[in-house]
Amino acid sequence: MKKFATLCFIFSLLTGCASTQMSLYDELGGKDTVAQIVDNFIHEIEYNKTMFTYFAESDIERFREKLNEHLCLLANGPCTYTGDTMEQVHAGMNISESDFNLGVDLFIAAMTKANVPHTVQNKLLAKMVPTRKEIIYL
Amino acid sequence: MKIPKYPALALLQAGLTIVTLHTPVALAADGKLIATAGLSQIEGSGGGGIVPWATISGYDSRDQISAGAVVTQVDVDDYRLTMLGASLSFYDSLEVSVAQQRFEIKGAGIDIKQNIVGLKYRLYGDVVYSDWPQLSVGMQYKHLEDGDIAAAVGADNNSSGTDFYLAATKVHLGAIAGYNAVWNLTARATKANEMGILGFGGIKNDDYEIMFEASAGILFSRNIAVGIEYRQKPDNLGLGEDNWTDYFISYIPSKDFNLTLAWAELGTIAGAAGQSGLYLSLNGQLW
Ligand code: HEM
């Protein structure tokens, strides 16, 4: 059990030391990288049959703009989100848990293509986690 | 409870019947983030390597069913344990598993077989998405086919026993310098000696005891997890049965397949001290 306690201690040290003054938005690479993630994500959606059906009727330019703002907001960047709430946007779509996860898989691919490092990807995903309950099965 | 001769086959058959009755279910389960479905532990339940977790084995989401198969071998100084298992998971909520363990006493030509049927039910949460850890209850019914050794070492019951457990598991995204971390805590009520291979209960103790088990790991990429596990064990036989520890590295190239290599420190088993060696496990998701 002692080994275990030591390990937990090291875990907590690492977490502590790693905190920096930089906002996640800066870590991501700011406006340009976020724009690139969103462009890649839209590209991923276009080539995925399941995801594309959800967006078939959507105004993609609006989606592009609002998602940029929303990601900026999630990453504590200097933006105001002018779109609708997550509930309002996704209500009526009845997005299932697995389709949500498909979205996350595509979003990870979009971040990887924008050269976002693994650790920074995870921090952004962590910010998206709490929004899931405002998006699925509505 | 009667165990069919080929429990894995029977289970798959039962699963197929259920699947065909439930047509709108997606068959290729992929509804979880890669590496968050966990593995199958040494008694066949979804978990780490030696500890059952709260996770339901397989990548099924609320609308999916999944089936998986596992083969594991632990090779320590004087013994070798081989485990073959299969599991079915329903809607990320119920897990049914079957496993056969073959415990070989090296050089003695002795082989002890044990069959295990496991059930697990998720009570609360999602390992990644809920605020609190995912919580599950489970049981493992163990049927010892070769009970002679168990009787010889003084087991109170050399044919069958049931373990019950409560497990809590949580994945924290980006928690450790941006790496994803996972931890699990399990409380198990058991009478089993060396998981049941040496029977259930004994001269020193014949009652259920609560044992604590824990795992912690870091995911260094979407495909590599490294960690440590600990499993407390009773000493009902008075043979100095030890707690177990393992250090593992898992390679998870896709949701359909993963491979785990570990160093297992199992201490004293049936009086033979210092048993440690390699643990190797292959997991496949069939759908
Ligand atoms: C954490 C995950 C998600 C976030 C943060 C998110 C965020 C957003 C944002 C900011 C918008 C634009 C809002 C506006 O126009 O005012 C939007 C629109 C949309 N989202 Fe999501 N979304 C997520 C997951 C999903 C998933 C999984 C799907 C489908 C499977 C989906 C389908 C849509 C669709 C179809 C639209 C366009 C709606 C319209 O045309 O009006 N979203 N989302």
Side-chain angles (χ1 to χ4, degrees):
Chain A
M1 212 58 215
K2 204 168 137 211
K3 282 178 212 150
F4 212 77
T6 316
L7 201 84
C8 292
F9 179 67
I10 295 171
F11 271 24
S12 55
L13 271 187
L14 276 170
T15 347
C17 298
S19 61
T20 51
Q21 296 304 319
M22 248 189 168
S23 75
L24 178 55
Y25 192 64
D26 295 333
E27 275 190 81
L28 276 164
K31 197 169 188 281
D32 292 347
T33 316
V34 171
Q36 211 185 325
I37 297 172
V38 173
D39 289 350
N40 294 347
F41 185 49
I42 291 172
H43 194 74
E44 295 284 337
I45 291 171
E46 280 169 351
Y47 284 89
N48 186 289
K49 233 173 99 191
T50 308
M51 280 300 273
F52 187 74
T53 40
Y54 284 97
F55 286 87
E57 309 272 291
S58 297
D59 174 352
I60 294 301
E61 285 325 304
R62 179 189 159 99
F63 177 69
R64 195 190 308 273
E65 182 193 318
K66 304 302 178 200
L67 188 58
N68 267 288
E69 290 175 6
H70 189 77
L71 292 176
C72 178
L73 178 86
L74 285 178
N76 304 322
C79 322
T80 19
Y81 176 59
T82 60
D84 299 322
T85 67
M86 289 298 107
E87 284 104 327
Q88 284 168 342
V89 178
H90 302 98
M93 295 187 197
N94 195 19
I95 299 170
S96 67
E97 216 174 43
S98 38
D99 286 350
F100 182 91
N101 189 68
L102 174 64
V104 174
D105 283 348
L106 297 183
F107 191 77
I108 290 173
M111 289 194 287
T112 304
K113 283 182 186 152
N115 297 316
V116 176
H118 176 73
T119 51
V120 182
Q121 291 187 11
N122 291 338
K123 290 186 207 174
L124 184 56
L125 290 174
K127 299 278 189 184
M128 294 165 87
V129 157
T131 64
R132 187 176 84 145
K133 57 180 177 293
E134 301 158 9
I135 292 173
I136 60 173
Y137 297 108
L138 296 179
Chain B
M1 195 159 177
K2 200 164 174 292
I3 314 264
K5 194 158 179 212
Y6 300 104
L9 262 181
L11 178 65
L12 283 178
Q13 242 165 24
L16 281 172
T17 322
I18 294 169
V19 168
T20 34
L21 290 175
H22 254 100
T23 14
V25 163
L27 275 189
D30 59 359
K32 296 175 190 169
L33 269 180
I34 189 159
T36 65
L39 316 166
S40 290
Q41 54 89 250
I42 193 72
E43 291 147 308
S45 304
I50 56 177
V51 179
W53 289 6
T55 46
I56 301 295
S57 70
Y59 282 90
D60 47 308
S61 70
R62 266 181 240 179
D63 326 284
Q64 295 171 324
I65 290 175
S66 75
V70 58
V71 51
T72 300
Q73 188 161 79
V74 193
D75 201 332
V76 294
D77 301 64
D78 298 315
Y79 310 103
R80 186 181 294 124
L81 181 76
T82 309
M83 188 275 284
L84 298 169
S87 65
L88 277 174
S89 299
F90 301 90
Y91 316 113
D92 194 26
S93 153
L94 181 72
E95 173 193 297
V96 186
S97 61
V98 288
Q100 180 165 83
Q101 294 180 328
R102 284 178 221 154
F103 183 80
E104 182 190 338
I105 303 176
K106 287 185 190 172
I110 295 175
D111 221 11
I112 303 174
K113 252 188 221 152
Q114 177 169 254
N115 291 328
I116 304 173
V117 176
L119 271 181
K120 187 193 307 185
Y121 180 70
R122 179 169 60 84
L123 294 175
Y124 163 84
D126 179 289
V127 71
V128 175
Y129 290 102
S130 55
D131 296 337
W132 299 98
Q134 180 166 329
L135 270 186
S136 295
V137 283
M139 53 157 281
Q140 293 172 340
Y141 170 80
K142 301 171 172 184
H143 183 261
L144 193 53
E145 287 201 0
D146 307 300
D148 294 351
I149 303 284
V153 294
D156 184 66
N157 177 328
N158 69 344
S159 67
S160 68
T162 307
D163 289 357
F164 301 92
Y165 62 88
L166 174 69
T169 315
K170 182 87 184 111
V171 169
H172 299 273
L173 295 181
I176 298 170
Y179 293 103
N180 298 342
V182 58
W183 62 263
N184 171 80
L185 270 180
T186 299
R188 181 199 296 257
T190 185
K191 287 188 181 188
N193 311 319
E194 302 296 359
M195 295 188 297
I197 299 290
L198 297 183
F200 307 86
I203 319 152
K204 243 180 92 181
N205 173 54
D206 186 29
D207 291 322
Y208 270 105
E209 284 187 304
I210 307 282
M211 295 289 132
F212 289 96
E213 307 177 6
S215 320
I218 298 190
L219 289 102
F220 282 107
S221 77
R222 303 260 165 254
N223 313 103
I224 302 272
V226 174
I228 177 175
E229 287 194 298
Y230 177 84
R231 174 164 170 173
Q232 196 185 20
K233 296 185 26 276
D235 184 22
N236 303 325
L237 297 170
L239 289 175
E241 179 166 342
D242 270 323
N243 302 334
W244 287 352
T245 307
D246 78 68
Y247 307 88
F248 67 89
I249 176 160
S250 294
Y251 175 53
I252 306 136
S254 79
K255 292 179 186 178
D256 296 323
F257 173 73
N258 62 66
L259 182 101
T260 297
L261 185 69
W263 180 254
E265 294 182 353
L266 309 185
T268 299
I269 296 180
Q275 301 297 319
S276 46
L278 282 182
Y279 167 112
L280 188 63
S281 182
L282 277 171
N283 252 275
Q285 181 170 274
L286 308 175
W287 74 70

